[in-house]
Amino acid sequence: MKVDEKIWSKRKEEAYMRLKEDLEIGYLDEDIVEVLEEIFKRPQAFTVSSCSGRIVIVDSPYPWERKDSTILFKKHKPISLSEVIDVIKQPAINMMWLVVVGPIIHVSTLSLKEAFRILKIARQAGFKHSGILSATRKGITVELRTGIRLAALLKIKEKLVISYEDLKSIIEISNKALLLGKERLKRLLEALKSVA
Amino acid sequence: MKVDEKIWSKRKEEAYMRLKEDLEIGYLDEDIVEVLEEIFKRPQAFTVSSCSGRIVIVDSPYPWERKDSTILFKKHKPISLSEVIDVIKQPAINMMWLVVVGPIIHVSTLSLKEAFRILKIARQAGFKHSGILSATRKGITVELRTGIRLAALLKIKEKLVISYEDLKSIIEISNKALLLGKERLKRLLEALKSVA
């Protein structure tokens, strides 16, 4: 369970190069960049992967099922009614769900002590579903995650199961949920800075 | 971060007495009892709290929000249309959501090694959102959790936002999701037994 510092440091270097590349390409959501950089500044931590929160429309037997599911739409910003209507015109193979997921960040740490430190900071910033996932020679993996999650059923096969007006409400709520997630990222950034 | 064995052992004893009491009262869901007992058999682990999975109807601004939310209905077994209709007759203060949550078990372990062992077993049994939450002198807390989660919007204030027919579909899917969670519990039980 002891992390190999040499392996871990090499992983951190590589991850940092990927982060810089992603930044240049503009691949990274600006809402999350500062948080990632703040985590990289910590000598015993780096980020492996991240998502600033997203709204997806998925064709799936269940909204949590990756198997047999197809992502029809994905956006990290608030969505509009017309965007959703474009997607729901298509027939669904199984069921069509509108899913909102709050921000998720995977952090690798060199020590368990650092993992628990980050966990504490994250929990205080509203990332209440965070936890340590695994510990190997390559590093301790910590997942930072909020409880923000929403799944609304839009279609069953060809049949729309939501009215036009209710769709508007669902979109409004989804956008609110997404922005709530972005606010948590800001709180996380502030929390990370205040302990630095 | 070292667990105090004396404190921890006392907590395990107390938790075991509570478990026995809950069993006698019939308070515990039979779907989960064997899993809890299997965890208690492990010298370095005990369960703190658990839920075998449930369907709730909640009046809340968001389905994940505990603040300002009222539970109108809760059941650990499949639900019927008439049960739901009884609840949705009432007006909602905010929004009325039908929420399905898969099984959740909180385990306390004496060592990090044991925490990671249980984490590995749980993940293999389909408890993919499991993680170590904290480590104090009182014990290491591990949360075992699946990704099974569903939230369907039923009402906005007084207005029903789902048709009678779609409500039937939602109930069917919710019951399926609940039973899928119970199946994961069985897999967890088998996994715990096979390594014992």
Side-chain angles (χ1 to χ4, degrees), chain B residues 73 79-89 164 167 171:
Chain B
F73 175 86
I79 54 169
S80 68
L81 182 61
S82 64
E83 282 174 315
V84 177
I85 287 175
D86 276 350
V87 179
I88 59 175
K89 277 178 193 161
Y164 180 81
L167 187 60
I171 289 169

Side-chain angles (χ1 to χ4, degrees), chain A residues 9-173:
Chain A
S9 297
K10 196 160 173 281
R11 285 184 67 215
K12 177 164 179 168
E13 263 173 55
E14 287 165 0
Y16 191 68
M17 268 154 55
R18 267 202 315 278
L19 178 69
K20 286 289 151 199
E21 272 174 30
D22 287 349
L23 264 175
E24 275 176 31
I25 304 167
Y27 181 74
L28 272 172
D29 196 340
E30 61 194 34
D31 297 321
I32 207 163
V33 172
E34 276 190 273
V35 174
L36 303 184
E37 284 176 332
E38 205 59 40
I39 291 171
F40 264 95
K41 275 185 200 163
R42 302 174 68 93
Q44 295 201 10
F46 69 88
T47 60
V48 179
S49 60
S50 68
C51 172
S52 66
R54 61 173 184 260
I55 299 179
V56 296
I57 299 178
V58 69
D59 184 350
S60 170
Y62 296 108
W64 62 83
E65 193 70 74
R66 298 239 177 103
K67 220 172 39 184
D68 303 318
S69 74
T70 313
I71 292 175
L72 306 171
F73 176 86
K74 182 161 84 174
K75 204 176 170 187
H76 294 83
K77 303 269 169 198
I79 54 168
S80 68
L81 182 62
S82 63
E83 282 174 315
V84 176
I85 286 175
D86 276 349
V87 178
I88 60 176
K89 278 179 192 161
Q90 309 164 46
I93 296 167
N94 287 293
M95 283 180 269
M96 208 184 274
W97 301 87
L98 182 82
V99 181
V100 188
V101 185
I104 299 170
I105 302 171
H106 285 99
V107 180
S108 180
T109 68
L110 182 59
S111 69
L112 276 163
K113 214 168 184 170
E114 172 72 350
F116 283 115
R117 270 193 299 251
I118 287 181
L119 211 49
K120 202 179 163 190
I121 296 166
R123 192 150 300 133
Q124 283 167 351
F127 284 69
K128 289 173 192 164
H129 288 242
S130 304
I132 299 171
L133 301 186
S134 66
T136 71
R137 283 173 61 235
K138 290 163 68 191
I140 319 283
T141 305
V142 188
E143 182 179 71
L144 311 184
R145 181 193 275 267
T146 70
I148 297 167
R149 203 183 157 77
L150 200 76
L153 185 58
L154 303 179
K155 284 184 98 167
I156 301 173
K157 310 269 178 192
E158 281 89 36
K159 190 177 173 279
L160 202 66
V161 299
I162 189 163
S163 74
Y164 180 82
E165 201 188 327
D166 294 336
L167 188 59
K168 282 201 282 189
S169 302
I170 286 282
I171 289 170
E172 200 184 306
I173 295 161

Side-chain angles (χ1 to χ4, degrees), chain A residues 1 62 64 95 112 116 119 123 129-133 135 145 147 149 151 156 159 161 166 169 173 176-177, chain B residues 1 62-64 95 112 116 119 123 129-133 135 145 147 149 151 156 159 161 166 169 173 176-177:
Chain A
M1 220 156 58
Y62 296 108
W64 62 83
M95 283 180 269
L112 276 163
F116 283 115
L119 211 49
R123 192 150 300 133
H129 288 242
S130 304
I132 299 171
L133 301 186
R145 181 193 275 267
R149 203 183 157 77
I156 301 173
K159 190 177 173 279
V161 299
D166 294 336
S169 302
I173 295 161
K176 262 194 205 167
Chain B
M1 221 156 55
Y62 296 108
W64 62 83
M95 283 180 268
L112 276 164
F116 283 114
L119 210 50
R123 191 150 301 133
H129 289 241
S130 303
I132 299 170
L133 302 186
R145 179 192 277 266
R149 205 183 157 77
I156 301 173
K159 189 175 174 281
V161 298
D166 295 336
S169 303
I173 296 161
K176 263 194 204 166

Side-chain angles (χ1 to χ4, degrees), chain B residues 34-50:
Chain B
E34 276 189 90
V35 174
L36 303 184
E37 284 175 333
E38 206 58 41
I39 292 171
F40 263 96
K41 275 186 201 162
R42 302 175 68 94
Q44 294 200 9
F46 69 88
T47 59
V48 179
S49 60
S50 68

Side-chain angles (χ1 to χ4, degrees), chain B:
Chain B
M1 221 156 55
K2 182 99 180 90
V3 178
D4 183 320
E5 192 163 352
K6 220 169 149 182
I7 297 176
W8 186 86
S9 298
K10 195 159 174 283
R11 286 184 67 215
K12 177 164 180 170
E13 264 173 52
E14 287 165 358
Y16 191 67
M17 273 161 44
R18 267 202 314 278
L19 179 70
K20 287 289 150 199
E21 272 175 30
D22 288 348
L23 263 174
E24 276 176 32
I25 304 167
Y27 180 75
L28 272 171
D29 196 340
E30 61 193 34
D31 297 321
I32 207 163
V33 172
E34 276 189 90
V35 174
L36 303 184
E37 284 175 333
E38 206 58 41
I39 292 171
F40 263 96
K41 275 186 201 162
R42 302 175 68 94
Q44 294 200 9
F46 69 88
T47 59
V48 179
S49 60
S50 68
C51 172
S52 66
R54 61 173 184 261
I55 300 179
V56 297
I57 299 178
V58 68
D59 185 349
S60 170
Y62 296 108
W64 62 83
E65 192 72 75
R66 298 240 177 102
K67 219 171 42 185
D68 304 318
S69 73
T70 314
I71 291 175
L72 306 171
F73 175 86
K74 183 162 83 174
K75 205 176 169 188
H76 294 83
K77 302 270 170 199
I79 54 169
S80 68
L81 182 61
S82 64
E83 282 174 315
V84 177
I85 287 175
D86 276 350
V87 179
I88 59 175
K89 277 178 193 161
Q90 308 165 46
I93 296 167
N94 285 294
M95 283 180 268
M96 207 184 274
W97 301 87
L98 182 83
V99 181
V100 188
V101 185
I104 300 170
I105 302 171
H106 285 99
V107 180
S108 180
T109 69
L110 182 58
S111 69
L112 276 164
K113 214 167 183 171
E114 172 72 350
F116 283 114
R117 270 193 300 251
I118 287 182
L119 210 50
K120 202 179 163 191
I121 296 167
R123 191 150 301 133
Q124 282 167 352
F127 283 71
K128 288 172 193 166
H129 289 241
S130 303
I132 299 170
L133 302 186
S134 66
T136 70
R137 283 173 61 235
K138 291 163 67 191
I140 319 285
T141 305
V142 188
E143 182 179 72
L144 311 184
R145 179 192 277 266
T146 70
I148 297 168
R149 205 183 157 77
L150 201 75
L153 185 59
L154 304 178
K155 283 184 97 165
I156 301 173
K157 310 270 177 191
E158 282 90 35
K159 189 175 174 281
L160 202 65
V161 298
I162 189 163
S163 74
Y164 180 81
E165 201 188 328
D166 295 336
L167 187 60
K168 283 201 282 190
S169 303
I170 286 282
I171 289 169
E172 200 184 306
I173 296 161
S174 299
N175 286 338
K176 263 194 204 166
L178 187 76
L179 295 174
L180 206 63
K182 310 276 181 190
E183 273 169 35
R184 297 269 170 93
L185 274 176
K186 279 188 200 129
R187 271 172 65 190
L188 181 59
L189 179 63
E190 278 157 29
L192 284 165
K193 277 183 172 169
S194 73
V195 293

